Coordinates of all heavy atoms in Angstrom, one line a residue:
A393 N 3.0 14.9 2.9 CA 3.9 13.7 3.1 C 3.3 12.6 3.9 O 3.4 11.4 3.6 CB 5.2 14.2 3.8
L394 N 2.5 13.0 4.9 CA 1.8 12.1 5.8 C 0.8 11.3 5.0 O 0.5 10.1 5.2 CB 1.2 12.8 7.0 CG 0.7 11.9 8.1 CD1 1.8 11.0 8.7 CD2 0.1 12.7 9.2
A395 N 0.1 12.0 4.1 CA -0.9 11.4 3.2 C -0.3 10.2 2.4 O -0.9 9.2 2.2 CB -1.5 12.4 2.3
V396 N 1.0 10.4 2.0 CA 1.7 9.4 1.2 C 1.9 8.1 2.1 O 1.8 7.0 1.6 CB 3.0 9.9 0.7 CG1 3.8 8.8 0.0 CG2 2.8 11.0 -0.3
V397 N 2.1 8.3 3.4 CA 2.3 7.2 4.3 C 1.0 6.4 4.4 O 0.9 5.2 4.3 CB 2.6 7.7 5.7 CG1 2.7 6.5 6.7 CG2 4.0 8.4 5.7
F398 N -0.2 7.1 4.5 CA -1.5 6.5 4.6 C -1.8 5.7 3.3 O -2.3 4.6 3.3 CB -2.5 7.5 4.9 CG -2.4 8.1 6.3 CD1 -2.9 9.4 6.6 CD2 -1.8 7.4 7.3 CE1 -2.8 9.9 7.8 CE2 -1.7 8.0 8.6 CZ -2.2 9.2 8.8
I399 N -1.5 6.4 2.2 CA -1.8 5.8 0.9 C -1.0 4.5 0.7 O -1.4 3.5 0.1 CB -1.6 6.8 -0.3 CG1 -2.6 7.9 -0.2 CG2 -1.7 6.1 -1.6 CD1 -2.3 9.1 -1.1
G400 N 0.3 4.6 1.0 CA 1.2 3.4 0.9 C 0.6 2.3 1.8 O 0.6 1.1 1.3
F401 N 0.2 2.6 3.0 CA -0.4 1.5 3.9 C -1.6 0.9 3.3 O -1.8 -0.3 3.3 CB -0.6 2.1 5.3 CG -1.1 1.1 6.2 CD1 -0.3 0.1 6.8 CD2 -2.5 1.1 6.6 CE1 -0.7 -0.8 7.7 CE2 -2.9 0.1 7.5 CZ -2.1 -0.8 8.1
F402 N -2.5 1.8 2.7 CA -3.7 1.3 2.0 C -3.3 0.4 0.9 O -4.0 -0.7 0.7 CB -4.5 2.5 1.5 CG -5.7 2.2 0.7 CD1 -6.8 1.7 1.3 CD2 -5.7 2.3 -0.7 CE1 -8.0 1.4 0.6 CE2 -6.8 2.0 -1.4 CZ -7.9 1.5 -0.8
A403 N -2.3 0.7 0.1 CA -1.9 -0.2 -1.0 C -1.4 -1.5 -0.5 O -1.7 -2.6 -1.1 CB -0.8 0.5 -1.8
V404 N -0.7 -1.5 0.6 CA -0.2 -2.8 1.2 C -1.3 -3.7 1.6 O -1.2 -4.9 1.3 CB 0.7 -2.5 2.4 CG1 1.1 -3.8 3.1 CG2 2.0 -1.8 2.0
I405 N -2.3 -3.2 2.1 CA -3.4 -4.1 2.7 C -4.5 -4.4 1.7 O -5.3 -5.3 1.9 CB -4.0 -3.5 3.9 CG1 -4.8 -2.2 3.6 CG2 -3.0 -3.3 5.0 CD1 -5.5 -1.6 4.8
T406 N -4.5 -3.7 0.5 CA -5.6 -3.9 -0.4 C -5.2 -4.5 -1.8 O -6.0 -4.7 -2.7 CB -6.4 -2.6 -0.7 OG1 -5.6 -1.7 -1.3 CG2 -7.0 -2.1 0.6
R407 N -3.9 -4.7 -2.0 CA -3.4 -5.1 -3.3 C -2.7 -6.5 -3.3 O -2.2 -6.9 -2.3 CB -2.5 -4.0 -3.9 CG -3.2 -2.7 -4.2 CD -2.5 -1.9 -5.3 NE -3.5 -1.2 -6.0 CZ -3.3 -0.5 -7.1 NH1 -2.1 -0.5 -7.6 NH2 -4.3 0.2 -7.7
R408 N -2.9 -7.1 -4.4 CA -2.2 -8.4 -4.7 C -1.6 -8.3 -6.1 O -2.2 -7.6 -6.9 CB -3.2 -9.6 -4.6 CG -3.9 -9.7 -3.2 CD -2.9 -10.1 -2.1 NE -3.6 -10.4 -0.9 CZ -4.0 -9.4 0.0 NH1 -3.7 -8.2 -0.3 NH2 -4.6 -9.7 1.1
P409 N -0.5 -9.0 -6.4 CA 0.2 -10.0 -5.6 C 1.2 -9.3 -4.7 O 1.2 -8.1 -4.5 CB 0.9 -10.8 -6.7 CG 1.2 -9.8 -7.8 CD -0.1 -8.9 -7.8
A410 N 2.1 -10.1 -4.2 CA 3.1 -9.6 -3.2 C 4.0 -8.5 -3.7 O 4.3 -7.6 -3.0 CB 3.9 -10.8 -2.6
I411 N 4.3 -8.5 -5.0 CA 5.2 -7.5 -5.5 C 4.5 -6.1 -5.5 O 5.2 -5.1 -5.3 CB 5.6 -7.9 -7.0 CG1 6.8 -7.1 -7.4 CG2 4.5 -7.7 -8.0 CD1 8.1 -7.5 -6.7
S412 N 3.2 -6.1 -5.7 CA 2.5 -4.8 -5.6 C 2.4 -4.3 -4.2 O 2.4 -3.1 -3.9 CB 1.1 -5.0 -6.2 OG 0.3 -5.9 -5.5
Q413 N 2.3 -5.3 -3.2 CA 2.4 -4.9 -1.8 C 3.7 -4.3 -1.5 O 3.8 -3.3 -0.7 CB 2.1 -6.1 -0.9 CG 0.7 -6.6 -1.1 CD 0.5 -7.9 -0.3 OE1 1.4 -8.7 -0.3 NE2 -0.7 -8.1 0.2
T414 N 4.8 -4.8 -2.1 CA 6.1 -4.3 -1.9 C 6.2 -2.8 -2.4 O 6.8 -2.0 -1.8 CB 7.2 -5.1 -2.6 OG1 7.1 -6.5 -2.2 CG2 8.6 -4.6 -2.4
L415 N 5.6 -2.6 -3.6 CA 5.6 -1.2 -4.1 C 4.8 -0.3 -3.2 O 5.2 0.9 -3.0 CB 4.9 -1.2 -5.5 CG 5.8 -1.9 -6.6 CD1 5.0 -2.2 -7.8 CD2 7.0 -0.9 -7.0
G416 N 3.7 -0.8 -2.6 CA 3.0 0.0 -1.6 C 3.8 0.3 -0.4 O 3.8 1.4 0.2

């Protein structure tokens, strides 16, 4: 479960556009 937190944070800081950051 904690790995999912890290992966979500990674998606937020490395993906564009804003909608994909929302999914992260």
Side-chain angles (χ1 to χ4, degrees):
L394 190 60
V396 176
V397 177
F398 294 152
I399 293 169
F401 183 74
F402 175 75
V404 169
I405 64 176
T406 62
R407 294 207 148 189
R408 300 294 185 275
I411 198 73
S412 64
Q413 294 173 324
T414 305
L415 289 162

